[in-house]
Amino acid sequence: MLFCLFFQVMLNRTSVTEFLLLGVTDIQVLQPVLFVVFLAIYIVNLAANGAILRVVISDPRLHSPMYFFLGNLSCLDICFSTASLPKMMENILSTHKAISFLGCISQLHFFHFMGSTESMLLAVMGFDRFVAICKPLHYTLIMNPQVCIQVALTVWIIGFFHALLHSVMISRLKFCGSNRIHHFICDMKPLLELACGNTELNQWLVNTVTGTIATGSCFLTFLSYFYIIIYLFFKTHSCSTLHKAVSTCASHFLVVVLFHVPGVFVYIHPASSSSMDQDQISAIMYNVVTPVLNPLIYTLRNKEVKRALREIFSRKIFSRFFSNE
Protein backbone atom coordinates (compact mmCIF):
# COMPACT_ATOMS: atom_id res chain seq x y z
CA MET A 1 0.00 0.00 0.00
CA LEU A 2 2.80 2.41 0.93
CA PHE A 3 4.59 1.37 -2.27
CA CYS A 4 1.61 2.50 -4.39
CA LEU A 5 1.08 5.70 -2.39
CA PHE A 6 4.73 6.67 -2.81
CA PHE A 7 4.65 6.33 -6.58
CA GLN A 8 1.29 8.10 -6.73
CA VAL A 9 3.00 11.10 -5.12
CA MET A 10 5.80 10.84 -7.65
CA LEU A 11 3.20 10.88 -10.42
CA ASN A 12 2.40 14.51 -9.60
CA ARG A 13 5.97 15.56 -10.48
CA THR A 14 5.61 14.88 -14.20
CA SER A 15 3.30 15.94 -17.01
CA VAL A 16 3.31 12.43 -18.53
CA THR A 17 0.54 10.27 -17.05
CA GLU A 18 0.99 7.25 -19.32
CA PHE A 19 3.48 5.69 -21.70
CA LEU A 20 2.99 3.92 -25.02
CA LEU A 21 4.80 0.57 -25.27
CA LEU A 22 5.46 0.23 -29.00
CA GLY A 23 6.26 -3.46 -28.69
CA VAL A 24 8.48 -5.83 -30.63
CA THR A 25 7.32 -4.84 -34.14
CA ASP A 26 4.87 -2.50 -35.83
CA ILE A 27 4.20 -4.88 -38.75
CA GLN A 28 0.47 -5.64 -38.44
CA VAL A 29 0.65 -9.01 -40.22
CA LEU A 30 3.03 -10.36 -37.58
CA GLN A 31 0.94 -9.26 -34.57
CA PRO A 32 -1.41 -12.32 -34.42
CA VAL A 33 1.53 -14.68 -34.97
CA LEU A 34 3.53 -13.07 -32.18
CA PHE A 35 0.53 -13.20 -29.87
CA VAL A 36 0.09 -16.95 -30.42
CA VAL A 37 3.83 -17.60 -30.01
CA PHE A 38 4.16 -15.61 -26.78
CA LEU A 39 0.92 -17.05 -25.40
CA ALA A 40 2.17 -20.60 -26.04
CA ILE A 41 5.53 -19.79 -24.42
CA TYR A 42 3.80 -18.27 -21.39
CA ILE A 43 1.49 -21.29 -20.95
CA VAL A 44 4.44 -23.71 -21.20
CA ASN A 45 6.34 -21.56 -18.71
CA LEU A 46 3.48 -21.64 -16.18
CA ALA A 47 2.84 -25.37 -16.66
CA ALA A 48 6.48 -26.54 -16.56
CA ASN A 49 7.67 -24.32 -13.71
CA GLY A 50 4.42 -24.87 -11.81
CA ALA A 51 4.86 -28.64 -12.07
CA ILE A 52 8.44 -28.44 -10.78
CA LEU A 53 7.39 -26.17 -7.94
CA ARG A 54 4.66 -28.61 -6.97
CA VAL A 55 6.85 -31.72 -6.92
CA VAL A 56 9.64 -29.94 -5.03
CA ILE A 57 7.18 -28.87 -2.33
CA SER A 58 5.10 -32.06 -2.13
CA ASP A 59 7.73 -34.80 -2.47
CA PRO A 60 9.79 -35.26 0.77
CA ARG A 61 12.54 -36.98 -1.25
CA LEU A 62 13.22 -33.69 -3.02
CA HIS A 63 13.67 -31.68 0.18
CA SER A 64 17.37 -31.07 -0.36
CA PRO A 65 19.40 -27.89 -1.11
CA MET A 66 19.57 -28.48 -4.87
CA TYR A 67 15.80 -28.88 -5.23
CA PHE A 68 15.13 -26.09 -2.75
CA PHE A 69 17.00 -23.67 -5.02
CA LEU A 70 15.39 -25.24 -8.10
CA GLY A 71 11.97 -24.50 -6.57
CA ASN A 72 13.04 -20.88 -5.99
CA LEU A 73 14.18 -20.68 -9.61
CA SER A 74 10.84 -21.99 -10.89
CA CYS A 75 8.97 -19.47 -8.75
CA LEU A 76 11.18 -16.67 -10.07
CA ASP A 77 10.71 -17.77 -13.68
CA ILE A 78 6.93 -17.63 -13.32
CA CYS A 79 7.02 -14.19 -11.69
CA PHE A 80 9.71 -12.87 -14.07
CA SER A 81 7.70 -13.63 -17.21
CA THR A 82 4.43 -12.54 -15.58
CA ALA A 83 5.94 -9.10 -14.97
CA SER A 84 6.09 -8.46 -18.73
CA LEU A 85 4.40 -11.08 -20.94
CA PRO A 86 0.68 -10.50 -20.09
CA LYS A 87 0.99 -6.75 -20.72
CA MET A 88 3.00 -7.36 -23.88
CA MET A 89 0.34 -9.75 -25.23
CA GLU A 90 -2.40 -7.27 -24.33
CA ASN A 91 -0.57 -4.53 -26.24
CA ILE A 92 -0.10 -6.78 -29.28
CA LEU A 93 -3.89 -6.96 -29.66
CA SER A 94 -4.48 -3.35 -28.65
CA THR A 95 -4.28 -0.28 -30.84
CA HIS A 96 -3.56 2.11 -27.97
CA LYS A 97 -0.70 0.14 -26.30
CA ALA A 98 -0.78 2.36 -23.21
CA ILE A 99 0.48 1.75 -19.69
CA SER A 100 -0.05 4.18 -16.83
CA PHE A 101 2.88 5.93 -15.17
CA LEU A 102 2.31 3.96 -11.97
CA GLY A 103 1.91 0.74 -13.94
CA CYS A 104 5.13 1.43 -15.81
CA ILE A 105 7.12 2.03 -12.61
CA SER A 106 5.58 -1.08 -11.01
CA GLN A 107 6.51 -3.18 -14.04
CA LEU A 108 10.04 -1.76 -13.95
CA HIS A 109 10.31 -2.66 -10.26
CA PHE A 110 9.14 -6.27 -10.57
CA PHE A 111 11.10 -6.83 -13.78
CA HIS A 112 14.37 -5.82 -12.11
CA PHE A 113 13.38 -7.48 -8.82
CA MET A 114 12.90 -10.88 -10.45
CA GLY A 115 15.73 -10.46 -12.96
CA SER A 116 18.44 -9.52 -10.45
CA THR A 117 17.23 -12.15 -7.96
CA GLU A 118 17.41 -14.87 -10.62
CA SER A 119 20.87 -13.71 -11.64
CA MET A 120 22.14 -14.10 -8.07
CA LEU A 121 20.23 -17.35 -7.54
CA LEU A 122 21.95 -18.94 -10.56
CA ALA A 123 25.29 -18.06 -8.93
CA VAL A 124 24.11 -19.70 -5.68
CA MET A 125 23.00 -22.81 -7.59
CA GLY A 126 26.39 -22.97 -9.28
CA PHE A 127 28.10 -22.80 -5.88
CA ASP A 128 25.76 -25.50 -4.55
CA ARG A 129 26.79 -27.83 -7.38
CA PHE A 130 30.46 -26.97 -6.77
CA VAL A 131 30.21 -27.97 -3.09
CA ALA A 132 28.19 -31.12 -3.89
CA ILE A 133 30.70 -32.35 -6.49
CA CYS A 134 34.02 -31.01 -5.24
CA LYS A 135 33.40 -31.14 -1.45
CA PRO A 136 30.96 -34.06 -1.02
CA LEU A 137 32.04 -34.89 2.56
CA HIS A 138 31.38 -31.32 3.72
CA TYR A 139 28.21 -30.78 1.66
CA THR A 140 25.65 -31.37 4.42
CA LEU A 141 27.64 -29.15 6.77
CA ILE A 142 28.12 -26.25 4.34
CA MET A 143 24.70 -26.38 2.68
CA ASN A 144 22.56 -27.16 5.73
CA PRO A 145 18.85 -26.16 5.65
CA GLN A 146 19.35 -23.05 7.78
CA VAL A 147 22.12 -21.76 5.49
CA CYS A 148 20.03 -22.46 2.37
CA ILE A 149 17.04 -20.52 3.74
CA GLN A 150 19.26 -17.60 4.80
CA VAL A 151 21.00 -17.48 1.41
CA ALA A 152 17.69 -17.60 -0.48
CA LEU A 153 16.18 -14.85 1.69
CA THR A 154 19.30 -12.71 1.24
CA VAL A 155 19.14 -13.07 -2.55
CA TRP A 156 15.42 -12.14 -2.63
CA ILE A 157 15.93 -9.15 -0.30
CA ILE A 158 18.92 -7.81 -2.26
CA GLY A 159 16.94 -8.18 -5.49
CA PHE A 160 13.97 -6.31 -4.01
CA PHE A 161 16.00 -3.34 -2.77
CA HIS A 162 18.05 -3.22 -5.97
CA ALA A 163 14.80 -2.88 -7.95
CA LEU A 164 13.37 -0.40 -5.43
CA LEU A 165 16.44 1.81 -5.84
CA HIS A 166 15.90 2.07 -9.60
CA SER A 167 12.13 2.51 -9.25
CA VAL A 168 12.52 5.38 -6.80
CA MET A 169 15.20 7.10 -8.89
CA ILE A 170 13.15 6.79 -12.09
CA SER A 171 10.05 8.10 -10.28
CA ARG A 172 11.91 11.28 -9.31
CA LEU A 173 12.64 12.16 -12.94
CA LYS A 174 10.43 14.49 -14.98
CA PHE A 175 8.92 13.29 -18.24
CA CYS A 176 7.72 16.27 -20.24
CA GLY A 177 8.21 15.22 -23.86
CA SER A 178 7.49 12.07 -25.81
CA ASN A 179 5.85 9.14 -24.02
CA ARG A 180 6.60 6.54 -26.71
CA ILE A 181 8.78 3.70 -25.36
CA HIS A 182 10.53 1.72 -28.10
CA HIS A 183 10.35 -1.50 -26.13
CA PHE A 184 7.80 -4.10 -25.00
CA ILE A 185 8.46 -3.37 -21.31
CA CYS A 186 9.18 -0.37 -19.11
CA ASP A 187 12.92 -0.80 -18.69
CA MET A 188 15.57 1.57 -17.41
CA LYS A 189 17.33 2.57 -20.61
CA PRO A 190 14.30 3.41 -22.79
CA LEU A 191 12.79 5.39 -19.89
CA LEU A 192 15.99 7.36 -19.38
CA GLU A 193 15.94 8.20 -23.10
CA LEU A 194 12.57 9.95 -22.55
CA ALA A 195 13.41 11.77 -19.30
CA CYS A 196 13.90 15.53 -19.17
CA GLY A 197 16.85 16.94 -17.28
CA ASN A 198 20.00 15.35 -15.95
CA THR A 199 20.00 11.54 -15.84
CA GLU A 200 23.70 11.01 -15.11
CA LEU A 201 23.05 9.61 -11.62
CA ASN A 202 20.52 7.15 -13.00
CA GLN A 203 22.93 6.08 -15.74
CA TRP A 204 25.67 5.63 -13.15
CA LEU A 205 23.40 3.47 -10.99
CA VAL A 206 22.48 1.30 -13.97
CA ASN A 207 26.11 0.84 -15.00
CA THR A 208 27.46 0.40 -11.47
CA VAL A 209 24.80 -1.34 -9.39
CA THR A 210 23.00 -3.37 -12.06
CA GLY A 211 26.24 -3.96 -13.93
CA THR A 212 27.95 -5.23 -10.77
CA ILE A 213 25.10 -7.61 -9.93
CA ALA A 214 24.91 -8.94 -13.50
CA THR A 215 28.64 -9.31 -14.19
CA GLY A 216 29.45 -10.42 -10.61
CA SER A 217 26.80 -13.15 -10.62
CA CYS A 218 27.83 -14.20 -14.12
CA PHE A 219 31.51 -14.43 -13.13
CA LEU A 220 30.82 -16.42 -9.93
CA THR A 221 28.56 -18.84 -11.79
CA PHE A 222 31.11 -19.41 -14.55
CA LEU A 223 33.85 -19.81 -11.92
CA SER A 224 31.86 -22.50 -10.08
CA TYR A 225 31.28 -24.54 -13.23
CA PHE A 226 34.87 -24.02 -14.34
CA TYR A 227 36.15 -25.51 -11.06
CA ILE A 228 33.63 -28.36 -11.34
CA ILE A 229 34.83 -29.30 -14.83
CA ILE A 230 38.51 -29.04 -13.84
CA TYR A 231 37.87 -31.14 -10.72
CA LEU A 232 36.01 -33.83 -12.67
CA PHE A 233 38.66 -33.90 -15.37
CA PHE A 234 41.48 -34.63 -12.92
CA LYS A 235 39.61 -36.66 -10.28
CA THR A 236 37.18 -38.80 -12.27
CA HIS A 237 38.74 -41.90 -13.79
CA SER A 238 35.58 -43.30 -15.35
CA CYS A 239 34.98 -41.88 -18.84
CA SER A 240 31.24 -42.54 -18.69
CA THR A 241 30.89 -40.77 -15.32
CA LEU A 242 33.00 -37.84 -16.55
CA HIS A 243 30.94 -37.56 -19.74
CA LYS A 244 27.63 -37.64 -17.84
CA ALA A 245 28.78 -35.06 -15.27
CA VAL A 246 30.25 -32.73 -17.90
CA SER A 247 27.15 -32.96 -20.10
CA THR A 248 24.94 -32.14 -17.10
CA CYS A 249 27.13 -29.16 -16.19
CA ALA A 250 27.13 -28.09 -19.83
CA SER A 251 23.31 -28.02 -19.93
CA HIS A 252 23.23 -25.93 -16.75
CA PHE A 253 25.97 -23.73 -18.19
CA LEU A 254 23.79 -23.17 -21.28
CA VAL A 255 21.02 -21.74 -19.07
CA VAL A 256 23.52 -19.39 -17.44
CA VAL A 257 24.84 -18.20 -20.82
CA LEU A 258 21.34 -17.62 -22.24
CA PHE A 259 20.34 -15.62 -19.18
CA HIS A 260 23.48 -13.68 -18.28
CA VAL A 261 25.09 -12.81 -21.60
CA PRO A 262 22.08 -10.93 -23.08
CA GLY A 263 21.47 -9.22 -19.71
CA VAL A 264 25.08 -8.11 -19.35
CA PHE A 265 25.05 -6.92 -22.97
CA VAL A 266 21.96 -4.75 -22.37
CA TYR A 267 23.19 -3.02 -19.22
CA ILE A 268 26.88 -2.43 -19.96
CA HIS A 269 26.78 -0.92 -23.44
CA PRO A 270 25.68 2.72 -23.81
CA ALA A 271 22.08 3.51 -24.69
CA SER A 272 21.23 4.71 -28.19
CA SER A 273 18.21 4.62 -30.44
CA SER A 274 19.96 2.19 -32.79
CA SER A 275 20.58 -0.27 -29.94
CA MET A 276 16.92 -0.53 -28.84
CA ASP A 277 16.13 -3.36 -31.28
CA GLN A 278 19.14 -5.31 -30.01
CA ASP A 279 18.05 -4.66 -26.42
CA GLN A 280 14.58 -6.02 -27.19
CA ILE A 281 16.02 -9.22 -28.64
CA SER A 282 18.26 -9.60 -25.59
CA ALA A 283 15.32 -8.96 -23.25
CA ILE A 284 13.26 -11.62 -25.05
CA MET A 285 16.10 -14.09 -24.57
CA TYR A 286 16.47 -13.69 -20.79
CA ASN A 287 12.87 -12.74 -19.96
CA VAL A 288 10.86 -15.01 -22.30
CA VAL A 289 13.03 -17.84 -23.62
CA THR A 290 15.20 -18.68 -20.60
CA PRO A 291 12.31 -19.13 -18.10
CA VAL A 292 10.87 -21.78 -20.43
CA LEU A 293 14.22 -23.53 -20.94
CA ASN A 294 15.12 -23.61 -17.23
CA PRO A 295 12.67 -26.35 -16.19
CA LEU A 296 13.51 -28.40 -19.30
CA ILE A 297 17.29 -28.18 -18.95
CA TYR A 298 17.47 -28.49 -15.16
CA THR A 299 15.16 -31.53 -15.08
CA LEU A 300 15.84 -33.24 -18.41
CA ARG A 301 18.68 -35.31 -16.92
CA ASN A 302 17.31 -35.39 -13.38
CA LYS A 303 15.89 -38.83 -12.59
CA GLU A 304 14.42 -37.78 -9.22
CA VAL A 305 12.33 -34.93 -10.64
CA LYS A 306 11.17 -37.00 -13.64
CA ARG A 307 10.18 -39.83 -11.29
CA ALA A 308 8.23 -37.44 -9.03
CA LEU A 309 6.46 -35.92 -12.05
CA ARG A 310 5.54 -39.36 -13.38
CA GLU A 311 4.13 -40.34 -9.99
CA ILE A 312 1.95 -37.22 -9.82
CA PHE A 313 0.60 -37.71 -13.35
CA SER A 314 0.03 -41.42 -12.69
CA ARG A 315 -1.95 -40.63 -9.54
CA LYS A 316 -4.02 -38.05 -11.44
CA ILE A 317 -4.84 -40.49 -14.26
CA PHE A 318 -5.57 -43.26 -11.75
CA SER A 319 -7.93 -41.11 -9.63
CA ARG A 320 -9.65 -39.69 -12.71
CA PHE A 321 -10.22 -43.16 -14.13
CA PHE A 322 -11.84 -44.46 -10.94
CA SER A 323 -13.85 -41.29 -10.41
CA ASN A 324 -15.38 -41.81 -13.86
CA GLU A 325 -16.24 -45.36 -12.88
Side-chain angles (χ1 to χ4, degrees):
M1 186 64 180
L2 290 174
F3 182 81
C4 294
L5 287 173
F6 172 79
F7 288 118
Q8 193 64 44
V9 173
M10 291 295 106
L11 178 63
N12 297 328
R13 293 172 53 90
T14 178
S15 60
V16 173
T17 59
E18 66 177 18
F19 293 99
L20 300 180
L21 293 170
L22 301 184
V24 180
T25 180
D26 56 357
I27 302 175
Q28 294 298 321
V29 180
L30 294 178
Q31 303 289 356
V33 177
L34 288 175
F35 177 82
V36 172
V37 169
F38 286 128
L39 178 62
I41 290 174
Y42 187 55
I43 291 173
V44 172
N45 178 10
L46 294 180
N49 284 296
I52 291 175
L53 198 55
R54 177 176 176 180
V55 298
V56 167
I57 292 173
S58 62
D59 195 330
R61 291 168 293 187
L62 300 182
H63 291 174
S64 65
M66 181 176 73
Y67 300 112
F68 171 73
F69 292 125
L70 182 60
N72 275 264
L73 181 66
S74 294
C75 181
L76 276 169
D77 282 335
I78 292 172
C79 297
F80 193 24
S81 293
T82 303
S84 61
L85 269 177
K87 185 62 181 177
M88 179 172 68
M89 289 186 292
E90 177 191 332
N91 285 341
I92 287 175
L93 299 180
S94 171
T95 55
H96 190 37
K97 304 182 185 299
I99 184 171
S100 67
F101 184 89
L102 180 59
C104 186
I105 298 301
S106 299
Q107 187 184 64
L108 170 75
H109 174 81
F110 286 104
F111 181 78
H112 279 271
F113 176 22
M114 300 305 160
S116 58
T117 303
E118 181 161 338
S119 176
M120 292 181 284
L121 183 66
L122 287 173
V124 172
M125 293 176 72
F127 177 75
D128 173 71
R129 292 299 82 209
F130 163 75
V131 177
I133 295 172
C134 302
K135 307 285 183 182
L137 298 178
H138 300 91
Y139 181 68
T140 55
L141 179 64
I142 297 173
M143 303 301 293
N144 63 71
Q146 185 178 1
V147 169
C148 291
I149 293 172
Q150 289 174 346
V151 169
L153 280 175
T154 301
V155 166
W156 281 84
I157 290 170
I158 292 174
F160 176 82
F161 282 104
H162 161 253
L164 186 63
L165 171 67
H166 288 308
S167 303
V168 170
M169 294 305 296
I170 284 288
S171 302
R172 294 172 58 85
L173 294 175
K174 291 184 179 181
F175 296 90
C176 50
S178 173
N179 66 340
R180 297 163 64 86
I181 297 177
H182 294 273
H183 212 299
F184 63 88
I185 52 171
C186 289
D187 202 3
M188 290 290 298
K189 291 172 68 175
L191 281 172
L192 292 179
E193 286 286 307
L194 302 180
C196 304
N198 192 343
T199 61
E200 288 184 3
L201 178 58
N202 299 80
Q203 294 282 4
W204 182 84
L205 288 173
V206 171
N207 295 333
T208 305
V209 181
T210 305
T212 299
I213 289 176
T215 55
S217 300
C218 182
F219 172 76
L220 291 175
T221 310
F222 286 174
L223 188 65
S224 294
Y225 283 113
F226 173 77
Y227 274 115
I228 289 171
I229 293 171
I230 295 297
Y231 175 85
L232 291 173
F233 183 79
F234 285 105
K235 294 291 183 180
T236 305
H237 302 291
S238 170
C239 292
S240 60
T241 304
L242 177 62
H243 175 74
K244 182 180 178 181
V246 170
S247 63
T248 302
C249 288
S251 62
H252 294 181
F253 189 77
L254 176 62
V255 172
V256 174
V257 170
L258 290 174
F259 181 83
H260 278 109
V261 172
V264 170
F265 171 79
V266 168
Y267 293 106
I268 64 171
H269 76 85
S272 65
S273 57
S274 61
S275 68
M276 288 303 171
D277 290 339
Q278 297 174 356
D279 288 356
Q280 287 196 65
I281 295 172
S282 299
I284 288 173
M285 285 300 300
Y286 64 77
N287 181 236
V288 178
V289 176
T290 305
V292 177
L293 292 179
N294 279 344
L296 299 177
I297 292 178
Y298 274 98
T299 60
L300 199 59
R301 301 174 185 274
N302 194 300
K303 294 180 180 178
E304 287 79 8
V305 175
K306 288 193 290 186
R307 172 192 49 75
L309 287 170
R310 279 196 300 267
E311 288 179 1
I312 286 181
F313 288 126
S314 298
R315 285 198 300 268
K316 278 188 174 182
I317 295 172
F318 185 79
S319 61
R320 190 171 296 174
F321 174 78
F322 281 97
S323 64
N324 290 335
E325 292 289 329

